[in-house]
Amino acid sequence: VICCSASWMVVPARLPPVTSSVLGAPRPCLDGRGCLACLGGAAGWSWRASCRAARRWLRGEALINNYNADDWRRATELFTGVISEAPGFAPAYSSLVRLHNSIHLVFPGIFRDRAREEAALDLARTAATLDPVDSRAQLCLGWSYVMAKQYDQAELHLGLAYQLNENDPWTLISSAHGLAFCGSGERACEIAEQALRVLPTPSRIHWGYLVGIRFLVCDSEVCVDAANRADAMILHLPGR
């Protein structure tokens, strides 16, 4: 399945054995239009509504990457609106989960709390239920378990995200970062290196994630180098 996103995400038509046993039978391969039509048909809303939801979601995704408080407020409005209008559109739930799990990084003075962790988990479970073979949904569910300190469950879903989309640099670097928090440092570093091979010229955001990975495995030299490459993209990076 090819699903549209800020960077096109490719899910193989044939899933790895462990994924197939957990998630069920794989879906046939579709193009981006077919994916949206499938989502719309399953949820009972029109192709026109599907396109409108996708456009609003993509605008929100672009705003997230700015790591700016005003942009995140607008992104929250967009994702919430998409969910209200098209409750079967799984990517909107996953994007809202990203905001819940990262809000303390963008809004000074806002701290993580149990209520927000539970809200993120509920949204992430909904996304994974609506579209269990969307690597984004599995990735966000894995991170939600990380934030809730349920590391065994987190490692399972981060692993599924990796299996579903191992050629996407964002899936690779984010799942690697999550696995580092789970204590799987060696595996995290392997996947992080794979991400760098897939994306020869990483963005500053990717370098920022590498900072966290190398910091967690106590690799100070690479951590500092990555922080310099990330520059001021994420101001609280531990190497700066």
Side-chain angles (χ1 to χ4, degrees), residues 44-78:
W45 33 283
S46 68
W47 167 248
R48 186 184 299 275
S50 303
C51 289
R52 185 166 57 247
R55 285 195 299 268
R56 294 171 68 189
W57 169 67
L58 285 170
R59 286 200 299 270
E61 281 285 293
L63 290 171
I64 288 180
N65 292 332
N66 294 333
Y67 281 84
N68 174 277
D70 289 336
D71 287 342
W72 276 37
R73 291 188 187 95
R74 178 56 182 151
T76 300
E77 294 173 358
L78 287 168

mmCIF file of all heavy atoms in Angstrom, residues 44-78:
data_model
loop_
_atom_site.group_PDB
_atom_site.id
_atom_site.type_symbol
_atom_site.label_atom_id
_atom_site.label_comp_id
_atom_site.label_asym_id
_atom_site.label_seq_id
_atom_site.Cartn_x
_atom_site.Cartn_y
_atom_site.Cartn_z
ATOM 1 N N GLY A 44 -17.252 5.148 5.083
ATOM 2 C CA GLY A 44 -18.565 5.614 4.689
ATOM 3 C C GLY A 44 -18.600 7.061 4.270
ATOM 4 O O GLY A 44 -19.652 7.689 4.287
ATOM 5 N N TRP A 45 -17.459 7.655 3.870
ATOM 6 C CA TRP A 45 -17.481 9.030 3.398
ATOM 7 C C TRP A 45 -16.940 9.097 1.988
ATOM 8 O O TRP A 45 -16.270 8.200 1.511
ATOM 9 C CB TRP A 45 -16.762 9.985 4.339
ATOM 10 C CG TRP A 45 -15.589 9.470 5.084
ATOM 11 C CD1 TRP A 45 -15.577 8.677 6.176
ATOM 12 C CD2 TRP A 45 -14.199 9.724 4.788
ATOM 13 N NE1 TRP A 45 -14.304 8.414 6.580
ATOM 14 C CE2 TRP A 45 -13.435 9.044 5.762
ATOM 15 C CE3 TRP A 45 -13.558 10.469 3.817
ATOM 16 C CZ2 TRP A 45 -12.056 9.071 5.776
ATOM 17 C CZ3 TRP A 45 -12.175 10.499 3.840
ATOM 18 C CH2 TRP A 45 -11.441 9.800 4.815
ATOM 19 N N SER A 46 -17.234 10.155 1.279
ATOM 20 C CA SER A 46 -17.022 10.253 -0.159
ATOM 21 C C SER A 46 -15.565 10.481 -0.522
ATOM 22 O O SER A 46 -14.740 10.863 0.305
ATOM 23 C CB SER A 46 -17.859 11.400 -0.714
ATOM 24 O OG SER A 46 -17.362 12.633 -0.245
ATOM 25 N N TRP A 47 -15.271 10.258 -1.824
ATOM 26 C CA TRP A 47 -13.938 10.541 -2.338
ATOM 27 C C TRP A 47 -13.598 12.022 -2.172
ATOM 28 O O TRP A 47 -12.475 12.386 -1.836
ATOM 29 C CB TRP A 47 -13.867 10.132 -3.799
ATOM 30 C CG TRP A 47 -12.663 10.653 -4.513
ATOM 31 C CD1 TRP A 47 -12.623 11.583 -5.493
ATOM 32 C CD2 TRP A 47 -11.304 10.274 -4.275
ATOM 33 N NE1 TRP A 47 -11.333 11.819 -5.893
ATOM 34 C CE2 TRP A 47 -10.498 11.040 -5.173
ATOM 35 C CE3 TRP A 47 -10.683 9.383 -3.405
ATOM 36 C CZ2 TRP A 47 -9.121 10.908 -5.207
ATOM 37 C CZ3 TRP A 47 -9.308 9.270 -3.446
ATOM 38 C CH2 TRP A 47 -8.531 10.018 -4.338
ATOM 39 N N ARG A 48 -14.586 12.898 -2.380
ATOM 40 C CA ARG A 48 -14.351 14.327 -2.203
ATOM 41 C C ARG A 48 -13.945 14.625 -0.761
ATOM 42 O O ARG A 48 -13.014 15.388 -0.508
ATOM 43 C CB ARG A 48 -15.606 15.113 -2.582
ATOM 44 C CG ARG A 48 -15.405 16.637 -2.570
ATOM 45 C CD ARG A 48 -16.723 17.343 -2.874
ATOM 46 N NE ARG A 48 -17.224 16.974 -4.189
ATOM 47 C CZ ARG A 48 -16.849 17.568 -5.317
ATOM 48 N NH1 ARG A 48 -15.958 18.551 -5.277
ATOM 49 N NH2 ARG A 48 -17.348 17.173 -6.468
ATOM 50 N N ALA A 49 -14.654 14.018 0.195
ATOM 51 C CA ALA A 49 -14.304 14.208 1.610
ATOM 52 C C ALA A 49 -12.924 13.636 1.904
ATOM 53 O O ALA A 49 -12.171 14.191 2.696
ATOM 54 C CB ALA A 49 -15.354 13.556 2.506
ATOM 55 N N SER A 50 -12.592 12.515 1.249
ATOM 56 C CA SER A 50 -11.275 11.911 1.440
ATOM 57 C C SER A 50 -10.167 12.871 1.020
ATOM 58 O O SER A 50 -9.175 13.055 1.725
ATOM 59 C CB SER A 50 -11.161 10.616 0.620
ATOM 60 O OG SER A 50 -12.161 9.694 0.954
ATOM 61 N N CYS A 51 -10.339 13.485 -0.145
ATOM 62 C CA CYS A 51 -9.325 14.424 -0.647
ATOM 63 C C CYS A 51 -9.213 15.651 0.251
ATOM 64 O O CYS A 51 -8.115 16.123 0.533
ATOM 65 C CB CYS A 51 -9.686 14.852 -2.067
ATOM 66 S SG CYS A 51 -9.466 13.558 -3.295
ATOM 67 N N ARG A 52 -10.351 16.164 0.692
ATOM 68 C CA ARG A 52 -10.342 17.336 1.561
ATOM 69 C C ARG A 52 -9.634 17.020 2.877
ATOM 70 O O ARG A 52 -8.820 17.814 3.374
ATOM 71 C CB ARG A 52 -11.777 17.793 1.814
ATOM 72 C CG ARG A 52 -11.861 19.094 2.611
ATOM 73 C CD ARG A 52 -13.256 19.697 2.552
ATOM 74 N NE ARG A 52 -14.272 18.774 3.037
ATOM 75 C CZ ARG A 52 -15.224 18.223 2.263
ATOM 76 N NH1 ARG A 52 -15.264 18.495 0.963
ATOM 77 N NH2 ARG A 52 -16.115 17.403 2.780
ATOM 78 N N ALA A 53 -9.928 15.843 3.433
ATOM 79 C CA ALA A 53 -9.267 15.438 4.676
ATOM 80 C C ALA A 53 -7.769 15.296 4.473
ATOM 81 O O ALA A 53 -6.970 15.731 5.304
ATOM 82 C CB ALA A 53 -9.869 14.122 5.176
ATOM 83 N N ALA A 54 -7.371 14.696 3.348
ATOM 84 C CA ALA A 54 -5.947 14.492 3.081
ATOM 85 C C ALA A 54 -5.214 15.818 2.923
ATOM 86 O O ALA A 54 -4.094 15.982 3.429
ATOM 87 C CB ALA A 54 -5.771 13.639 1.828
ATOM 88 N N ARG A 55 -5.828 16.772 2.225
ATOM 89 C CA ARG A 55 -5.181 18.076 2.043
ATOM 90 C C ARG A 55 -4.982 18.782 3.375
ATOM 91 O O ARG A 55 -3.909 19.349 3.630
ATOM 92 C CB ARG A 55 -6.024 18.952 1.102
ATOM 93 C CG ARG A 55 -5.936 18.560 -0.356
ATOM 94 C CD ARG A 55 -6.477 19.675 -1.244
ATOM 95 N NE ARG A 55 -7.877 19.958 -0.961
ATOM 96 C CZ ARG A 55 -8.907 19.394 -1.597
ATOM 97 N NH1 ARG A 55 -8.663 18.488 -2.544
ATOM 98 N NH2 ARG A 55 -10.144 19.719 -1.304
ATOM 99 N N ARG A 56 -5.994 18.756 4.223
ATOM 100 C CA ARG A 56 -5.879 19.420 5.526
ATOM 101 C C ARG A 56 -4.845 18.719 6.399
ATOM 102 O O ARG A 56 -4.083 19.362 7.130
ATOM 103 C CB ARG A 56 -7.244 19.450 6.214
ATOM 104 C CG ARG A 56 -8.262 20.317 5.481
ATOM 105 C CD ARG A 56 -9.653 20.149 6.050
ATOM 106 N NE ARG A 56 -9.757 20.688 7.394
ATOM 107 C CZ ARG A 56 -10.825 20.508 8.169
ATOM 108 N NH1 ARG A 56 -11.846 19.784 7.739
ATOM 109 N NH2 ARG A 56 -10.861 21.048 9.368
ATOM 110 N N TRP A 57 -4.825 17.415 6.329
ATOM 111 C CA TRP A 57 -3.849 16.651 7.112
ATOM 112 C C TRP A 57 -2.424 16.968 6.664
ATOM 113 O O TRP A 57 -1.527 17.158 7.495
ATOM 114 C CB TRP A 57 -4.140 15.155 6.976
ATOM 115 C CG TRP A 57 -3.050 14.286 7.509
ATOM 116 C CD1 TRP A 57 -2.657 14.150 8.814
ATOM 117 C CD2 TRP A 57 -2.193 13.435 6.739
ATOM 118 N NE1 TRP A 57 -1.605 13.263 8.905
ATOM 119 C CE2 TRP A 57 -1.315 12.816 7.649
ATOM 120 C CE3 TRP A 57 -2.110 13.136 5.386
ATOM 121 C CZ2 TRP A 57 -0.337 11.908 7.237
ATOM 122 C CZ3 TRP A 57 -1.144 12.221 4.972
ATOM 123 C CH2 TRP A 57 -0.266 11.622 5.896
ATOM 124 N N LEU A 58 -2.197 17.037 5.351
ATOM 125 C CA LEU A 58 -0.867 17.338 4.841
ATOM 126 C C LEU A 58 -0.410 18.734 5.262
ATOM 127 O O LEU A 58 0.763 18.944 5.567
ATOM 128 C CB LEU A 58 -0.845 17.212 3.324
ATOM 129 C CG LEU A 58 -0.852 15.782 2.775
ATOM 130 C CD1 LEU A 58 -1.065 15.787 1.272
ATOM 131 C CD2 LEU A 58 0.448 15.071 3.128
ATOM 132 N N ARG A 59 -1.333 19.693 5.291
ATOM 133 C CA ARG A 59 -0.978 21.033 5.767
ATOM 134 C C ARG A 59 -0.556 20.972 7.230
ATOM 135 O O ARG A 59 0.423 21.614 7.632
ATOM 136 C CB ARG A 59 -2.166 21.991 5.604
ATOM 137 C CG ARG A 59 -2.434 22.407 4.164
ATOM 138 C CD ARG A 59 -3.249 23.693 4.090
ATOM 139 N NE ARG A 59 -4.564 23.557 4.725
ATOM 140 C CZ ARG A 59 -5.658 23.154 4.090
ATOM 141 N NH1 ARG A 59 -5.597 22.814 2.809
ATOM 142 N NH2 ARG A 59 -6.814 23.078 4.725
ATOM 143 N N GLY A 60 -1.270 20.207 8.014
ATOM 144 C CA GLY A 60 -0.902 20.051 9.419
ATOM 145 C C GLY A 60 0.444 19.383 9.594
ATOM 146 O O GLY A 60 1.255 19.785 10.447
ATOM 147 N N GLU A 61 0.727 18.364 8.777
ATOM 148 C CA GLU A 61 2.018 17.682 8.843
ATOM 149 C C GLU A 61 3.165 18.646 8.549
ATOM 150 O O GLU A 61 4.210 18.607 9.204
ATOM 151 C CB GLU A 61 2.042 16.521 7.846
ATOM 152 C CG GLU A 61 1.338 15.277 8.309
ATOM 153 C CD GLU A 61 2.147 14.523 9.343
ATOM 154 O OE1 GLU A 61 3.216 13.995 9.007
ATOM 155 O OE2 GLU A 61 1.696 14.475 10.506
ATOM 156 N N ALA A 62 2.968 19.503 7.567
ATOM 157 C CA ALA A 62 4.011 20.481 7.246
ATOM 158 C C ALA A 62 4.250 21.434 8.413
ATOM 159 O O ALA A 62 5.392 21.819 8.691
ATOM 160 C CB ALA A 62 3.626 21.255 5.990
ATOM 161 N N LEU A 63 3.190 21.806 9.106
ATOM 162 C CA LEU A 63 3.321 22.718 10.244
ATOM 163 C C LEU A 63 4.056 22.062 11.414
ATOM 164 O O LEU A 63 4.829 22.717 12.115
ATOM 165 C CB LEU A 63 1.931 23.178 10.697
ATOM 166 C CG LEU A 63 1.186 24.115 9.738
ATOM 167 C CD1 LEU A 63 -0.256 24.306 10.190
ATOM 168 C CD2 LEU A 63 1.893 25.462 9.649
ATOM 169 N N ILE A 64 3.835 20.771 11.637
ATOM 170 C CA ILE A 64 4.502 20.069 12.738
ATOM 171 C C ILE A 64 6.017 20.203 12.620
ATOM 172 O O ILE A 64 6.727 20.423 13.607
ATOM 173 C CB ILE A 64 4.121 18.571 12.746
ATOM 174 C CG1 ILE A 64 2.678 18.370 13.194
ATOM 175 C CG2 ILE A 64 5.036 17.803 13.711
ATOM 176 C CD1 ILE A 64 2.263 16.915 13.204
ATOM 177 N N ASN A 65 6.523 20.049 11.419
ATOM 178 C CA ASN A 65 7.972 20.003 11.213
ATOM 179 C C ASN A 65 8.675 21.315 11.499
ATOM 180 O O ASN A 65 9.908 21.368 11.516
ATOM 181 C CB ASN A 65 8.271 19.539 9.788
ATOM 182 C CG ASN A 65 7.886 18.094 9.560
ATOM 183 O OD1 ASN A 65 7.887 17.292 10.485
ATOM 184 N ND2 ASN A 65 7.543 17.754 8.329
ATOM 185 N N ASN A 66 7.915 22.379 11.732
ATOM 186 C CA ASN A 66 8.533 23.663 12.071
ATOM 187 C C ASN A 66 8.916 23.760 13.552
ATOM 188 O O ASN A 66 9.662 24.663 13.941
ATOM 189 C CB ASN A 66 7.575 24.811 11.732
ATOM 190 C CG ASN A 66 7.334 24.935 10.241
ATOM 191 O OD1 ASN A 66 8.178 24.547 9.435
ATOM 192 N ND2 ASN A 66 6.178 25.465 9.867
ATOM 193 N N TYR A 67 8.388 22.851 14.374
ATOM 194 C CA TYR A 67 8.650 22.882 15.816
ATOM 195 C C TYR A 67 8.444 24.286 16.382
ATOM 196 O O TYR A 67 9.270 24.827 17.117
ATOM 197 C CB TYR A 67 10.071 22.378 16.125
ATOM 198 C CG TYR A 67 10.167 20.866 16.093
ATOM 199 C CD1 TYR A 67 10.348 20.185 14.891
ATOM 200 C CD2 TYR A 67 10.036 20.112 17.255
ATOM 201 C CE1 TYR A 67 10.405 18.799 14.844
ATOM 202 C CE2 TYR A 67 10.094 18.730 17.217
ATOM 203 C CZ TYR A 67 10.282 18.084 16.012
ATOM 204 O OH TYR A 67 10.324 16.713 15.971
ATOM 205 N N ASN A 68 7.306 24.854 16.027
ATOM 206 C CA ASN A 68 6.945 26.210 16.439
ATOM 207 C C ASN A 68 5.589 26.159 17.131
ATOM 208 O O ASN A 68 4.659 25.509 16.645
ATOM 209 C CB ASN A 68 6.899 27.114 15.197
ATOM 210 C CG ASN A 68 6.397 28.499 15.496
ATOM 211 O OD1 ASN A 68 5.189 28.731 15.548
ATOM 212 N ND2 ASN A 68 7.317 29.432 15.665
ATOM 213 N N ALA A 69 5.452 26.846 18.266
ATOM 214 C CA ALA A 69 4.235 26.750 19.065
ATOM 215 C C ALA A 69 2.991 27.188 18.289
ATOM 216 O O ALA A 69 1.950 26.521 18.321
ATOM 217 C CB ALA A 69 4.389 27.580 20.340
ATOM 218 N N ASP A 70 3.079 28.318 17.581
ATOM 219 C CA ASP A 70 1.917 28.796 16.817
ATOM 220 C C ASP A 70 1.538 27.806 15.721
ATOM 221 O O ASP A 70 0.342 27.540 15.486
ATOM 222 C CB ASP A 70 2.212 30.165 16.198
ATOM 223 C CG ASP A 70 2.274 31.265 17.240
ATOM 224 O OD1 ASP A 70 1.672 31.096 18.330
ATOM 225 O OD2 ASP A 70 2.930 32.296 16.975
ATOM 226 N N ASP A 71 2.536 27.249 15.044
ATOM 227 C CA ASP A 71 2.246 26.275 13.993
ATOM 228 C C ASP A 71 1.625 25.009 14.576
ATOM 229 O O ASP A 71 0.750 24.396 13.959
ATOM 230 C CB ASP A 71 3.524 25.923 13.239
ATOM 231 C CG ASP A 71 3.981 27.051 12.325
ATOM 232 O OD1 ASP A 71 3.162 27.941 12.023
ATOM 233 O OD2 ASP A 71 5.160 27.056 11.926
ATOM 234 N N TRP A 72 2.067 24.617 15.761
ATOM 235 C CA TRP A 72 1.508 23.405 16.375
ATOM 236 C C TRP A 72 0.063 23.624 16.814
ATOM 237 O O TRP A 72 -0.744 22.713 16.777
ATOM 238 C CB TRP A 72 2.393 22.961 17.537
ATOM 239 C CG TRP A 72 3.556 22.130 17.081
ATOM 240 C CD1 TRP A 72 4.289 22.301 15.939
ATOM 241 C CD2 TRP A 72 4.116 21.005 17.748
ATOM 242 N NE1 TRP A 72 5.280 21.352 15.858
ATOM 243 C CE2 TRP A 72 5.198 20.545 16.947
ATOM 244 C CE3 TRP A 72 3.835 20.362 18.948
ATOM 245 C CZ2 TRP A 72 5.976 19.458 17.316
ATOM 246 C CZ3 TRP A 72 4.615 19.271 19.317
ATOM 247 C CH2 TRP A 72 5.677 18.826 18.500
ATOM 248 N N ARG A 73 -0.264 24.834 17.250
ATOM 249 C CA ARG A 73 -1.665 25.128 17.585
ATOM 250 C C ARG A 73 -2.537 24.991 16.350
ATOM 251 O O ARG A 73 -3.629 24.418 16.391
ATOM 252 C CB ARG A 73 -1.787 26.532 18.174
ATOM 253 C CG ARG A 73 -1.180 26.704 19.555
ATOM 254 C CD ARG A 73 -1.512 28.068 20.149
ATOM 255 N NE ARG A 73 -0.806 28.286 21.395
ATOM 256 C CZ ARG A 73 0.350 28.929 21.507
ATOM 257 N NH1 ARG A 73 0.928 29.423 20.407
ATOM 258 N NH2 ARG A 73 0.938 29.085 22.678
ATOM 259 N N ARG A 74 -2.058 25.523 15.228
ATOM 260 C CA ARG A 74 -2.809 25.437 13.981
ATOM 261 C C ARG A 74 -2.906 23.981 13.516
ATOM 262 O O ARG A 74 -3.965 23.543 13.048
ATOM 263 C CB ARG A 74 -2.131 26.302 12.911
ATOM 264 C CG ARG A 74 -2.790 26.252 11.547
ATOM 265 C CD ARG A 74 -4.254 26.627 11.604
ATOM 266 N NE ARG A 74 -4.870 26.533 10.289
ATOM 267 C CZ ARG A 74 -6.153 26.259 10.105
ATOM 268 N NH1 ARG A 74 -6.953 26.032 11.148
ATOM 269 N NH2 ARG A 74 -6.647 26.192 8.886
ATOM 270 N N ALA A 75 -1.823 23.234 13.655
ATOM 271 C CA ALA A 75 -1.833 21.829 13.258
ATOM 272 C C ALA A 75 -2.846 21.036 14.093
ATOM 273 O O ALA A 75 -3.571 20.184 13.564
ATOM 274 C CB ALA A 75 -0.444 21.222 13.415
ATOM 275 N N THR A 76 -2.906 21.334 15.386
ATOM 276 C CA THR A 76 -3.875 20.667 16.254
ATOM 277 C C THR A 76 -5.293 20.926 15.772
ATOM 278 O O THR A 76 -6.134 20.012 15.723
ATOM 279 C CB THR A 76 -3.718 21.151 17.710
ATOM 280 O OG1 THR A 76 -2.392 20.850 18.167
ATOM 281 C CG2 THR A 76 -4.738 20.484 18.622
ATOM 282 N N GLU A 77 -5.585 22.154 15.392
ATOM 283 C CA GLU A 77 -6.912 22.501 14.876
ATOM 284 C C GLU A 77 -7.215 21.727 13.592
ATOM 285 O O GLU A 77 -8.333 21.224 13.412
ATOM 286 C CB GLU A 77 -6.994 24.003 14.605
ATOM 287 C CG GLU A 77 -6.915 24.867 15.859
ATOM 288 C CD GLU A 77 -6.837 26.355 15.516
ATOM 289 O OE1 GLU A 77 -6.816 26.686 14.297
ATOM 290 O OE2 GLU A 77 -6.791 27.175 16.453
ATOM 291 N N LEU A 78 -6.223 21.627 12.718
ATOM 292 C CA LEU A 78 -6.426 20.923 11.464
ATOM 293 C C LEU A 78 -6.701 19.436 11.690
ATOM 294 O O LEU A 78 -7.645 18.875 11.118
ATOM 295 C CB LEU A 78 -5.206 21.097 10.563
ATOM 296 C CG LEU A 78 -5.024 22.474 9.925
ATOM 297 C CD1 LEU A 78 -3.638 22.603 9.299
ATOM 298 C CD2 LEU A 78 -6.095 22.722 8.870
#
